[in-house]
Amino acid sequence: MAYGKLSLVVSPEILNEYERVGQELSKQFPSVDIAPLLELLTFKGEAVNAPPLPEQVCSDPDDDKFLACAIASNTKVISSGDKALRKTTGYAGIEALTPREFVDKYLQKKSQRSTSGYRR
């Protein structure tokens, strides 16, 4: 399996949702500041215009924006803890993984491979 560069890909709709949810969470948890995360996504993420899907795919229609963004950017993997979104795995060739599954499948193996020659 070839390993490439990890890219953050977002659409304006995704950024809007993250900002809205962040504002709601900041009311519950005033000490948590998600501004640095939003800045990271805004300035380091690849922004794509993602047209809506022709029909609802996810049981939660609000999650279709993530699939639309993946399709528009030719992304093959979405990492999310959202159960409804993860149930869409396979749609349009897109794999929807939990963050742990993503690390295990794409990041951990690379790290293990690069250090496999070293033992204590």
Side-chain angles (χ1 to χ4, degrees), residues 44-98:
K44 296 294 184 180
E46 176 187 340
V48 298
N49 288 320
L53 299 177
E55 60 187 22
Q56 181 179 331
V57 173
C58 191
S59 61
D60 179 353
D62 285 338
D63 290 339
D64 280 353
K65 70 176 129 299
F66 296 97
L67 294 169
C69 182
I71 291 167
S73 63
N74 200 31
T75 297
K76 295 300 177 195
V77 180
I78 296 173
S79 177
S80 175
D82 186 284
K83 290 178 184 178
L85 184 57
R86 289 197 331 266
K87 288 180 182 178
T88 66
T89 198
Y91 176 78
I94 300 166
E95 197 173 19
L97 303 174
T98 65

Side-chain angles (χ1 to χ4, degrees), residues 99-110:
R100 169 64 10 200
E101 291 169 335
F102 179 81
V103 167
D104 289 348
K105 187 170 184 176
Y106 292 103
L107 301 179
Q108 190 173 16
K109 289 181 183 178
K110 181 178 181 181

Side-chain angles (χ1 to χ4, degrees), residues 5-24:
K5 184 174 102 174
L6 178 67
S7 297
L8 295 170
V9 182
V10 294
S11 67
E13 294 81 10
I14 291 171
L15 286 174
N16 289 340
E17 178 173 328
Y18 287 171
E19 186 172 356
R20 179 186 56 77
V21 170
Q23 289 172 354
E24 290 173 15

